[in-house]
Amino acid sequence: VEEAFYCTDRVMTLSLHKFGDFFPGTGDITNTGAGVGNGYAVNIPLKEGINDQAYATIFKPIMNKVIQVFQPGAIVLQCGADSLTGDRLGCFNLTLHGHGECVQ
């Protein structure tokens, strides 16, 4: 999603994700957009094993600040299933409840 909007200031992207030796290897904290889109991509790399409580303490204040600064007319949320506990591809320990708590 970020790549589609990386060079525009019309869309701000916020990505909380596993980073490093994990496909696709993008999403470094220093990747913030390009051209007029510089500053409109926010990447938050997370460590393996993060749980609902730790995720919420990161997600909520960052998302609130993004909303305050960018003042979006719409918010689109994509929660990858690989973030859920027990997913064979993922490495996080989030639950559906944990995702839900973040977006209330």
Side-chain angles (χ1 to χ4, degrees):
V1 173
E2 177 183 276
E3 185 177 336
F5 303 107
Y6 202 68
C7 296
T8 182
D9 60 358
R10 296 182 60 209
V11 174
M12 176 172 271
T13 60
L14 169 63
S15 178
L16 289 85
H17 53 270
K18 170 80 168 102
F19 176 71
D21 58 347
F22 192 75
F23 178 83
T26 58
D28 187 89
I29 197 166
T30 62
N31 298 139
T32 60
V36 296
N38 188 30
Y40 287 85
V42 180
N43 282 288
I44 310 298
L46 302 172
K47 295 186 178 191
E48 294 183 9
I50 193 167
N51 62 23
D52 290 344
Q53 182 180 1
Y55 188 83
T57 62
I58 295 168
F59 180 94
K60 289 180 178 184
I62 292 172
M63 181 56 99
N64 286 337
K65 188 65 169 181
V66 166
I67 291 169
Q68 176 188 2
V69 171
F70 189 66
Q71 299 180 355
I75 297 174
V76 177
L77 180 66
Q78 175 187 353
C79 297
D82 59 347
S83 65
L84 296 174
T85 189
D87 185 90
R88 292 183 295 178
L89 297 177
C91 56
F92 296 157
N93 289 314
L94 303 179
T95 65
L96 291 175
H97 178 74
H99 275 296
E101 282 293 314
C102 286
V103 299
Q104 283 188 1

